[in-house]
Amino acid sequence: RKEVEQDPGPFNVPEGATVAFNCTYSNSASQSFFWYRQDCRKEPKLLMSVYSSGNEDGRFTAQLNRASQYISLLIRDSKLSDSATYLCVVNRNAGNMLTFGGGTRLMVKP
Amino acid sequence: SAVISQKPSRDICQRGTSLTIQCQVDSQVTMMFWYRQQPGQSLTLIATANQGSEATYESGFVIDKFPISRPNLTFSTLTVSNMSPEDSSIYLCSAIGQGAGEQYFGPGTRLTVT
């Protein structure tokens, strides 16, 4: 079993749609969780951290369920510019080492 | 945030040769890492570059193949030695910023081995 699993997609959605990505992780000792965004032929960039209480940043909402070892990302009112690969990222054993999921590709169409 | 640059941005190399990739951060950082991202795949950690001591390698990666240097808090190099076509990949340098786990990435070095 992979340490961090994501549905690879692609998710093809129209502009304005709401889309949700899910991620599961296997290491129950993980303490920090993130969503990164990677555009084609670019480096990954931090989109947002994920907190136990859930957090929101504009159109983006992240949720964490520690009991189920499950992380989600919700994007509302999708824009064309949201098209990218979204990487679920988990730290290892409360340290600074990160494990990346395989990524979920999103394509927003006009 | 940290701004990270890498050189070269891309290269095409012959098998059996070696390539050294440079990574420069615009500020002092505590930790630096080297990742590999093969086509269509996610990132795989190669090693943690330790300042003033030997790098810490992940399972499947060895120092003879991927020697790493980190002479100071802002600079690191990764060498891909005795290259084969299987080494064709994007190699990314990253560094830890102020927030725990907030990693910043360089633009990557796209390596093609023929």
Side-chain angles (χ1 to χ4, degrees):
Chain A
R1 182 184 173 192
K2 291 182 182 177
E3 287 186 61
V4 181
E5 294 208 58
Q6 295 180 248
D7 180 344
F11 285 59
N12 295 299
V13 303
E15 269 188 292
T18 295
V19 62
F21 304 140
N22 302 318
C23 166
T24 57
Y25 61 95
S26 61
N27 188 346
S28 60
S30 297
Q31 297 291 322
S32 301
F33 310 90
F34 311 90
W35 283 101
Y36 275 71
R37 170 189 168 135
Q38 186 172 26
D39 292 293
C40 187
R41 294 180 170 265
K42 299 286 189 182
E43 72 273 21
K45 293 185 179 177
L46 179 66
L47 177 65
M48 59 196 303
S49 301
V50 186
Y51 304 118
S52 296
S53 55
N55 49 303
E56 187 174 310
D57 182 3
R59 297 181 294 109
F60 299 84
T61 301
Q63 297 277 354
L64 167 65
N65 183 322
R66 286 186 184 270
S68 302
Q69 295 180 201
Y70 170 96
I71 305 162
S72 66
L73 176 67
L74 183 77
I75 305 176
R76 290 181 299 277
D77 188 22
S78 299
K79 311 292 184 190
L80 295 176
S81 57
D82 294 333
S83 298
T85 296
Y86 291 83
L87 302 164
C88 176
V89 184
V90 175
N91 81 326
R92 299 183 199 173
N93 302 319
N96 287 313
M97 316 292 288
L98 299 181
T99 300
F100 285 76
T104 298
R105 189 172 171 205
L106 171 66
M107 298 179 69
V108 182
K109 309 212 168 168
Chain B
S1 65
V3 177
I4 302 176
S5 59
Q6 285 184 233
K7 288 195 298 187
S9 59
R10 59 176 62 230
D11 208 340
I12 300 173
C13 302
Q14 290 190 338
R15 67 175 69 207
T17 63
S18 298
L19 175 72
T20 295
I21 302 167
Q22 298 180 9
C23 175
Q24 180 73 55
V25 190
D26 69 342
S27 57
Q28 292 187 350
V29 291
T30 53
M31 300 183 75
M32 294 181 73
F33 305 92
W34 287 97
Y35 289 84
R36 181 171 73 183
Q37 187 172 29
Q38 295 183 307
Q41 305 291 316
S42 191
L43 283 78
T44 300
L45 181 64
I46 296 172
T48 303
N50 299 310
Q51 194 264 326
S53 64
E54 194 171 286
T56 305
Y57 290 84
E58 295 297 302
S59 175
F61 298 95
V62 295
I63 187 171
D64 289 346
K65 176 67 176 176
F66 297 102
I68 287 170
S69 77
R70 190 179 171 195
N72 56 51
L73 293 176
T74 63
F75 185 79
S76 179
T77 66
L78 168 75
T79 299
V80 186
S81 303
N82 188 24
M83 287 183 284
S84 67
E86 292 71 37
D87 295 321
S88 298
S89 189
I90 299 171
Y91 292 86
L92 295 125
C93 171
S94 78
I96 290 281
Q98 291 185 355
E102 188 174 351
Q103 282 195 21
Y104 298 95
F105 285 84
T109 296
R110 186 176 296 271
L111 171 63
T112 302
V113 183
T114 60

